[in-house]
Every structure is written in structure tokens, then in C-alpha cells.
């Protein structure tokens, strides 16, 4: 019943790779954004797994790891709010969220 | 171990659904399923408070925001990108290679799982009290910075949408008018309407 830490890390890596694939493959910006959320959650899973691992040696390290995930969740909420606002602004301007057509923001 | 295998299968299938399903609504709902399975995984990792937060904030608030915007914009994903034809297969290959590499390295450098009794003693089931101790102690600066970030995010989101709304309907109303001139429809407009109706004008 005691699942080793590396199993969780491997699962996290698989989820991260799938998310990165979505970022590359998807055409609509909002689907790219969904894939980024998947990558973010994969990273969170790795942090929680490492937090449990280090909690076997140090109580403070385990709780600090879980608190970092808590902060990442708050940052993700802010990121989603701003990102979706940008998407709505782009959609109002162009009536499309196709990432291939977005060249306005380049230098 | 059986629990982990089932959860991992659900999460991988859900993640593939996010990436491969054509309908954006289906992909978003697939992500909701993945996030709920992730919350259960947090429970198996002795992070109960994080599991609750994951369900409330991620599967609840953030995904509702996503579904709201998806339905508002009525996004249709018309297949893969056209600008780079080879990108699709390159992305599939890169994902397989990356996932295999990370999994191989993780198992190659495998360490035995920590003693469950010690973990339970140290984590206290990932309670809110333990998280608060770290949040208001070692990570107090990060806590304050997150407050600033959230305020900035809210103001930024409102400002982004607001400005586009004003310019989409012509010049922003009530802006740049000379002093002393009232906007139409405000101030003495009610009096003008009363005048137009005439004496005793009650319909």
C-alpha cells in the first residue's frame, strides 16, 4: 500500500509531457491554456509527492512543501483570471482565438 | 498500490482527453475529471487540506471560469495547426520521449518510500493547521506577495476587459467632454423629457 515516491514523480512527468503536447498541438488559444493548466497540476503533484517523501525525515519540510503547493494554487487562480481576460480581449478584436494568427505582440 | 494504479489510469486518460478531444467543452470536462482524480491522489499522499482546496478552487472555481468563457466565446477547435504541418507528429514524439525519460530517471534513482508511521506523525494528515504554521512562518513573505499578486490580477483582468469594451462601442462615453456639459441621458435629461411630454403629460 506504500506507493514509492518515484511512481508519483513518473506519473507527474507523464502528465506534464501530455500537457506540453497539448500546448504544441492545439490551435485555439483557450485549449492551449487548458493544457498549461494540466502542466501546472502535474508540477503540483510532483511537489506534493516530494513533500511526503521528505516528511519522512523532517516535519517542517513536509508541511512547507504542501504550503508551496497552496501558494501555487493561488498564483494559478490569478493567472487564469488574467489569461481569460486577455483571451476575451483578443476574441473581441478578431472574433477568433487561433494562435497561428496572433502576430501583434511580437517585437 | 491498486488505488494508485487506478488513479494514474484515470488521470492519464483524462489528460489525453484534454489534449485530443475535438470539442472544447469535452476537453474542459475531461480536465475536470483529471483534477478530481488528482485531488484523490493528494489524499493518498496525506495532503487532505490540499485535496479539499483542489476540489473547491481548481475543479470548482477555475474550471467554472473556463467553461463560462468557452460557452461565451463559442470556441470551435478546427483541428491541428496549419502553419507548421510537421509540428503535430513532432509534438507526439517529443511527449513520448519526455514522459519516458522522466519516468526512467525517476525509477532509476528510486528511493524506498518513507515510513508511513513517521510521515503521518510529521504531516498530521496535511491539516490546515500545519499548513498555516508554514504559511505564516517560513513562507510569510510569499503569502504577502500572493496577496499583492491577486490584487494586481483582479485589477488587471477588469482593466483589460473594460478598455476593450469601451473602444468596441465607439468613443468612451463621458470622456473628454468640456466641463459644464452634461452627458445625454443624465442630469437635466429627466427635466427635458418632462418638458417634451407637455403640461399634464401623463400617458
Amino acid at each position: 500500500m506504500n506507493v514509492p515516491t518515484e511512481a508519483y514523480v513518473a506519473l507527474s512527468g507523464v502528465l506534464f509531457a501530455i500537457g506540453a503536447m497539448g500546448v504544441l498541438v492545439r490551435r485555439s488559444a483557450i485549449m492551449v491554456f487548458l493544457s498549461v493548466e494540466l502542466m501546472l497540476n502535474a508540477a503540483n503533484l510532483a511537489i506534493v509527492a516530494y513533500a511526503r517523501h521528505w516528511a519522512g525525515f523532517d516535519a517542517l519540510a513536509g508541511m512547507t512543501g504542501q504550503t508551496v503547493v497552496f501558494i501555487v494554487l493561488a498564483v494559478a487562480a490569478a493567472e487564469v483570471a488574467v489569461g481569460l481576460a486577455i483571451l476575451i480581449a483578443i476574441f473581441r478584436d478578431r472574433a477568433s482565438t487561433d494562435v497561428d494568427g496572433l502576430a501583434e505582440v511580437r517585437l | 498500490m491498486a488505488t494508485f494504479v487506478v488513479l494514474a489510469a484515470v488521470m492519464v486518460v483524462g489528460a489525453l482527453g484534454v489534449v485530443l478531444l475535438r470539442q472544447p467543452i469535452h476537453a474542459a470536462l475531461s480536465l475536470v475529471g483529471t483534477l478530481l482524480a488528482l485531488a484523490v491522489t493528494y489524499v493518498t499522499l496525506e495532503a487532505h487540506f490540499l485535496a479539499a482546496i483542489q476540489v473547491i478552487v481548481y475543479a470548482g472555481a477555475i474550471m467554472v471560469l473556463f467553461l463560462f468563457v468557452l460557452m461565451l466565446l463559442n470556441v470551435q477547435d478546427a483541428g491541428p495547426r496549419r502553419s507548421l504541418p510537421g509540428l503535430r507528429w513532432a509534438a507526439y514524439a517529443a511527449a513520448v520521449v519526455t514522459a519516458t525519460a522522466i519516468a526512467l530517471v525517476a525509477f532509476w534513482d528510486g528511493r524506498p518510500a518513507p515510513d508511513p508511521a513517521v510521515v503521518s506523525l510529521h504531516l498530521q494528515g496535511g491539516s490546515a493547521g500545519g499548513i498555516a504554521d508554514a504559511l505564516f512562518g517560513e513562507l510569510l513573505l510569499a503569502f504577502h506577495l500572493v496577496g499583492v499578486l491577486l490584487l494586481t490580477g483582479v485589477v488587471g483582468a477588469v482593466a483589460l476587459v473594460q478598455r476593450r469594451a469601451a473602444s468596441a462601442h465607439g468613443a468612451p462615453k463621458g470622456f473628454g467632454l468640456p466641463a459644464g456639459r452634461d452627458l445625454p441621458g443624465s442630469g437635466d435629461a429627466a427635466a427635458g423629457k418632462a418638458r417634451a411630454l407637455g403640461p399634464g403629460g401623463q400617458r
Side-chain angles (χ1 to χ4, degrees):
Chain A
M1 194 47 227
N2 203 8
V3 183
T5 305
E6 59 261 28
Y8 287 103
V9 176
L11 174 62
S12 160
V14 169
L15 289 179
F16 190 90
I18 293 175
M21 182 174 93
V23 169
L24 290 174
V25 163
R26 284 294 196 168
R27 221 165 101 191
S28 149
I30 194 160
M31 303 317 296
V32 171
F33 205 25
L34 271 183
S35 304
V36 170
E37 293 301 311
L38 189 61
M39 295 166 73
L40 229 150
N41 278 282
N44 272 352
L45 174 61
I47 299 176
V48 175
Y50 284 128
R52 186 199 64 157
H53 191 88
W54 285 104
F57 310 102
D58 181 5
L60 191 60
M63 281 331 290
T64 306
Q66 294 198 0
T67 312
V68 166
V69 173
F70 184 70
I71 290 173
V72 170
L73 277 176
V75 173
E79 174 231 345
V80 166
V82 175
L84 287 178
I86 292 175
L87 273 180
I88 289 182
I90 291 174
F91 190 83
R92 279 190 176 147
D93 203 34
R94 313 166 49 94
S96 152
T97 56
D98 196 332
V99 287
D100 284 342
L102 290 177
E104 281 89 354
V105 287
R106 71 180 170 199
L107 292 173
Chain B
M1 197 68 190
T3 318
F4 175 77
V5 171
V6 170
L7 283 173
V10 169
M11 284 165 73
V12 170
V13 169
L16 285 174
V18 173
V19 173
L20 297 178
L21 283 178
R22 268 296 162 80
Q23 282 287 326
I25 299 288
H26 295 169
L29 290 176
S30 184
L31 185 58
V32 172
T34 309
L35 296 181
L36 288 176
L38 188 61
V40 181
T41 314
Y42 285 171
V43 172
T44 67
L45 284 167
E46 305 232 6
H48 294 123
F49 181 67
L50 281 183
I53 292 296
Q54 174 85 7
V55 172
I56 294 171
V57 173
Y58 242 113
I62 292 182
M63 289 317 294
V64 163
L65 204 59
F66 259 107
L67 286 173
F68 181 75
V69 171
L70 272 176
M71 293 181 179
L72 184 73
L73 301 187
N74 195 16
V75 179
Q76 299 293 334
D77 200 25
R81 295 184 190 171
R82 277 170 302 191
S83 59
L84 294 167
L87 183 64
R88 188 178 183 82
W89 299 106
Y92 291 160
V96 170
V97 169
T98 309
T100 314
I102 293 178
L104 277 182
V105 169
F107 280 106
W108 179 62
D109 192 27
R111 320 252 170 109
D115 185 12
V118 180
V119 169
S120 300
L121 181 70
H122 281 169
L123 285 182
Q124 302 151 13
S127 66
I131 293 212
D133 278 343
L135 190 62
F136 298 122
E138 198 178 358
L139 295 170
L140 188 61
L141 179 63
F143 174 72
H144 283 147
L145 289 178
V146 162
V148 175
L149 178 76
L150 282 174
L151 179 65
T152 315
V154 168
V155 173
V158 170
L160 273 168
V161 176
Q162 196 74 37
R163 194 176 59 219
R164 308 301 300 185
S167 64
H169 302 119
K173 295 191 172 65
F175 241 63
L177 285 175
R181 262 189 67 185
D182 271 322
L183 288 171
S186 73
D188 55 358
K193 190 181 283 179
R195 239 178 286 125
L197 281 176
Q202 295 165 5
R203 295 186 198 170

